[in-house]
Amino acid sequence: MFGINNYPGFIMAGVLLNIAPGTDTFYIISRSISQGTKAGVVSALGVCSGAVCHTLFAALGLSVILTTSATLFFTVKLAGAFYLAYLGCVLLKAPPAVTPQDKKAAHPHNSLRKIYCQGILTNLLNPKVALFFLAFLPQFISTDSPYGPLPFLILGATFVTTGTLWCCFLACSAARTTSYLRKNNAVQLGLQKITGLVFIGFGVQLALSKN
């Protein structure tokens, strides 16, 4: 079908890979725990939008550049590490994101938009994600496929769809589990500080990774 081999097998493998914890997973969980369901779901949608961009890059062959340029790979990785550390520092310095006295104003539109954009950048600035798409998708595409980038787009859309469903479920579950904690302003501030430290840790881990 459209130059794709073993599509059911790809779906199964994709679901397992989506479930496997990674930087994006912990990013979404951290947002959900510290800021609630809306922030968690929006961050999940941002991460998945970044995956859409990676799909397009892979389909157009742009991701190949990362495999052939060590300098570019290092630059993108360092940018991603600094960005994660920056997000962590912002959370450490910021007041509680949600206050029980003003629930209606807890997530203004511009705040959710910022969270969404941060999710996109967190995913885009991780070169390992680009290399993953470039290495994983071709395994299910016929070498003599006459359909050009179409198989990449179909497989990428499938992976992003299952990933979005899983990430949104994860965000809702994490937020609901800790909802009673966020009713306490002091506890919520503590959760936010922990989230900031987690982001900084991810940034350090990404910067120190060898590949």
Side-chain angles (χ1 to χ4, degrees):
M1 181 184 70
F2 299 111
I4 298 174
N5 296 321
N6 193 15
Y7 186 63
F10 171 82
I11 295 177
M12 292 180 60
V15 169
L16 291 175
L17 289 170
N18 283 322
I19 294 176
T23 301
D24 290 338
T25 301
F26 289 110
Y27 170 78
I28 294 167
I29 291 177
S30 298
R31 279 290 189 193
S32 303
I33 290 175
S34 64
Q35 293 178 267
T37 303
K38 284 187 178 180
V41 170
V42 170
S43 65
L45 294 177
V47 166
C48 293
S49 295
V52 171
C53 295
H54 280 298
T55 298
L56 295 175
F57 293 158
L60 297 175
L62 298 180
S63 295
V64 179
I65 298 175
L66 286 175
T67 65
T68 58
S69 174
T71 301
L72 180 60
F73 182 91
F74 177 77
T75 301
V76 173
K77 183 178 75 170
L78 205 59
F82 274 113
Y83 184 69
L84 285 172
Y86 164 75
L87 290 182
C89 291
V90 169
L91 286 173
L92 286 177
K93 294 166 59 178
V98 183
T99 59
Q101 294 81 8
D102 191 11
K103 293 182 179 180
K104 291 185 179 180
H107 291 294
H109 178 71
N110 61 340
S111 175
L112 292 177
R113 182 170 58 187
K114 181 182 294 185
I115 291 173
Y116 174 75
C117 292
Q118 288 174 347
I120 294 176
L121 288 176
T122 299
N123 187 270
L124 282 181
L125 291 177
N126 188 345
K128 293 183 178 181
V129 179
L131 294 182
F132 162 77
F133 273 87
L134 195 64
F136 182 62
L137 300 189
Q139 296 182 40
F140 296 87
I141 298 176
S142 301
T143 55
D144 57 349
S145 171
Y147 295 99
L150 184 59
F152 278 96
L153 296 176
I154 294 175
L155 293 178
T158 301
F159 185 79
V160 170
T161 299
T162 57
T164 301
L165 293 174
W166 168 249
C167 289
C168 287
F169 168 76
L170 207 60
C172 293
S173 299
R176 181 169 297 183
T177 302
T178 57
S179 61
Y180 68 98
L181 294 177
R182 289 189 302 277
K183 295 178 181 178
N184 183 305
N185 223 28
V187 173
Q188 183 198 34
L189 182 59
L191 290 173
Q192 190 164 300
K193 301 300 183 186
I194 293 174
T195 301
L197 292 174
V198 170
F199 285 0
I200 293 173
F202 285 149
V204 172
Q205 182 183 41
L206 181 59
L208 297 179
S209 63
K210 297 181 180 180
N211 47 50

